[in-house]
Amino acid sequence: MPPKRASSKDTKAETLVEKSYRQAIDDIAEEYVCPITAELPIDPVTAEDGRCYERCAIEEWFARQPQPQVKSPVTNEPMGKRLFPAVQVRNTLKRLVESGAISGSKADAWKEAMAEDARLAALRERAEGGDADAMTDLGIAYRDGKRGVKKDATQAFLWM
């Protein structure tokens, strides 16, 4: 006897459950989006306002406010400048994006940023190994603030 096919009622119920799960995951992912960059963070940190930010974005925010107490980019309330690595956030985002649970433009941008990080790590390894071309490329990246590194004239000078 052939196996029974699922009734259309069962199929619709499964589809609704899948949509519900997808919506829940998308809602969770939105909680991790950096309020400054509007992207999923590659190097997430938690600031003293309790929000998760991309490290370089919140550090730039702090640099524009030289006083010891700064205002939160989200609440505009005073906060300190201490940052705490958000390792669990990074690991969760990595698993969700790599599994395909999070998809779309934010996930694509995250994947591209992670690939750029890997390219930068390979470039740094070659430069530290004495590869003159890699040293120059790394120096240019620091000079221009490209390839995921902050603009840093001292590092640029050291590598070039």
Side-chain angles (χ1 to χ4, degrees):
M1 195 149 91
K4 285 183 158 183
R5 283 195 278 167
S7 71
S8 64
K9 191 177 186 180
D10 291 341
T11 305
K12 286 179 184 177
E14 287 176 19
T15 303
L16 288 174
V17 169
E18 287 175 17
K19 284 182 181 179
S20 173
Y21 284 150
R22 172 70 58 194
Q23 185 60 48
I25 290 171
D26 288 346
D27 290 346
I28 290 167
E30 281 301 314
E31 287 295 316
Y32 293 135
V33 170
C34 172
I36 298 171
T37 64
E39 298 289 340
L40 294 172
I42 302 303
D43 185 11
V45 293
T46 302
E48 289 189 34
D49 65 353
R51 305 287 178 158
C52 186
Y53 298 93
E54 176 65 54
R55 180 183 298 277
C56 63
I58 192 68
E59 286 176 347
E60 285 177 24
W61 177 267
F62 290 162
R64 290 192 301 264
Q65 301 181 49
Q67 59 274 25
Q69 280 282 322
V70 296
K71 292 194 175 193
S72 164
V74 175
T75 65
N76 208 29
E77 294 293 321
M79 66 182 239
K81 292 186 174 182
R82 288 187 309 169
L83 299 174
F84 305 95
V87 177
Q88 289 174 319
V89 171
R90 185 187 65 228
N91 293 343
T92 299
L93 288 174
K94 182 178 181 188
R95 285 187 190 108
L96 289 171
V97 171
E98 289 178 352
S99 72
I102 298 176
S103 58
S105 61
K106 284 185 170 68
D108 293 342
W110 189 89
K111 286 177 185 176
E112 180 55 38
M114 289 302 288
E116 183 61 37
D117 256 13
R119 289 189 290 270
L120 179 64
L123 178 64
R124 183 178 303 281
E125 187 175 323
R126 289 194 343 262
E128 289 171 350
D131 182 328
D133 290 334
M135 292 167 83
T136 301
D137 289 346
L138 191 56
I140 291 169
Y142 275 111
R143 181 192 70 197
D144 299 340
K146 303 282 183 182
R147 294 187 165 206
V149 297
K150 284 195 299 189
K151 214 176 216 185
D152 187 331
T154 304
Q155 285 294 319
F157 177 78
L158 290 172
W159 285 109
M160 291 175 70

